[in-house]
Amino acid sequence: GESVGLHLPTLSVQEGDNSIINCAYSNSASDYFIWYKQESGKGPQFIIDIRSNMDKRQGQRVTVLLNKTVKHLSLQIAATQPGDSAVYFCAENSGNNNDMRFGAGTRLTVKP
Amino acid sequence: NAGVMQNPRHLVRRRGQEARLRCSPMKGHSHVYWYRQLPEEGLKFMVYLQKENIIDESGMPKERFSAEFPKEGPSILRIQQVVRGDSAAYFCASSPPRQQETQYFGPGTRLLVL
């Protein structure tokens, strides 16, 4: 069946380094993607989104890249800070009544 | 502008009891979604509602689970005769009328079934 998955379950980086979190999706009909950040004990927090007619979108310290050819999504965090430590989920809009399908998540740990 | 509100934040029930989880969407939002999250896993879609209508309940278990979003008041996710496997975090999200894809999440209700 269709699914959204992540390549790496954990990622550890040094404070100040750049982080790259990857996501693979299999539903070629998906046309909208969101990255969420979830801190321990909290709900997912919207970070950045991208539509399928774009390859790249930038926010504050974050960039999302979309490669539709290989169905791959990535989140880049520049100058990673301790406050960035969290679980990051990619989610796709399957086009079916706007419900989002989530991957399992990547836990990012930032070492001081 | 208050965000999505959920209560209670933590709920403990014994097997066979009923659990009621409440969600108040952000002001101006007319779409509500419920998700379930098990520890160390992603969120699983359960149901999508608009005021007084269930739009998509393809992720809801066929038995014991129900959801509503009345004209007045919060959305309610109801779990009857809870079992230990229902223990999870339940998140509600809402979206505005003309930007339905972008969902904003509440803090979740953590249900523990003893």
Side-chain angles (χ1 to χ4, degrees):
Chain A
E2 303 290 3
S3 65
V4 177
L6 297 176
H7 292 304
L8 296 172
T10 60
L11 177 64
S12 183
V13 300
Q14 206 70 35
E15 181 178 359
D17 287 351
N18 296 333
S19 302
I20 299 177
I21 301 171
N22 296 302
C23 178
Y25 65 95
S26 56
N27 186 350
S28 56
S30 294
D31 60 359
Y32 181 64
F33 304 86
I34 299 178
W35 279 101
Y36 286 95
K37 171 186 179 184
Q38 187 176 25
E39 296 174 277
S40 181
K42 297 183 179 179
Q45 177 188 358
F46 175 95
I47 301 175
I48 192 168
D49 60 357
I50 189 168
R51 295 196 178 277
S52 59
N53 61 352
M54 301 172 69
D55 297 324
K56 178 179 180 179
R57 190 154 189 238
Q58 287 185 293
Q60 187 177 11
R61 282 202 307 119
V62 294
T63 301
V64 55
L65 299 176
L66 176 61
N67 186 331
K68 295 179 288 294
T69 302
V70 296
K71 300 192 191 71
H72 183 268
L73 196 69
S74 69
L75 176 70
Q76 300 178 3
I77 305 174
T80 315
Q81 302 168 1
D84 295 327
S85 293
V87 177
Y88 290 81
F89 296 96
C90 69
E92 63 175 328
N93 183 298
S94 64
N96 179 25
N97 286 323
N98 297 315
D99 59 80
M100 301 298 291
R101 306 293 172 173
F102 285 77
T106 293
R107 181 177 299 281
L108 175 65
T109 302
V110 182
K111 296 178 288 186
Chain B
N1 188 12
V4 178
M5 311 281 285
Q6 287 189 251
N7 68 83
R9 294 293 308 277
H10 299 273
L11 183 61
V12 179
R13 285 288 179 266
R14 297 192 179 278
R15 283 178 294 170
Q17 292 184 320
E18 179 180 287
R20 278 181 180 250
L21 288 63
R22 287 175 290 276
C23 169
S24 297
M26 289 179 69
K27 186 176 180 180
H29 287 195
S30 54
H31 304 261
V32 166
Y33 311 79
W34 284 95
Y35 294 83
R36 176 163 64 178
Q37 185 180 36
L38 296 173
E40 301 299 307
E41 292 189 11
L43 286 81
K44 294 291 193 294
F45 167 77
M46 298 180 74
V47 62
Y48 164 38
L49 309 104
Q50 294 181 25
K51 283 287 187 182
E52 299 184 279
N53 286 305
I54 296 175
I55 307 302
D56 181 357
E57 56 181 348
S58 59
M60 285 272 275
K62 293 289 186 284
E63 297 178 350
R64 302 188 298 107
F65 284 72
S66 62
E68 62 177 10
F69 189 16
K71 187 177 180 180
E72 301 290 337
S75 175
I76 305 288
L77 178 67
R78 182 183 178 204
I79 311 173
Q80 295 178 288
Q81 299 173 339
V82 296
V83 301
R84 288 203 174 127
D86 296 332
S87 296
Y90 292 84
F91 290 96
C92 168
S94 71
S95 62
R98 284 181 291 279
Q99 198 176 354
Q100 296 168 29
E101 301 155 313
T102 305
Q103 299 174 19
Y104 297 88
F105 283 81
T109 293
R110 279 144 188 86
L111 173 65
L112 175 62
V113 179
L114 302 177

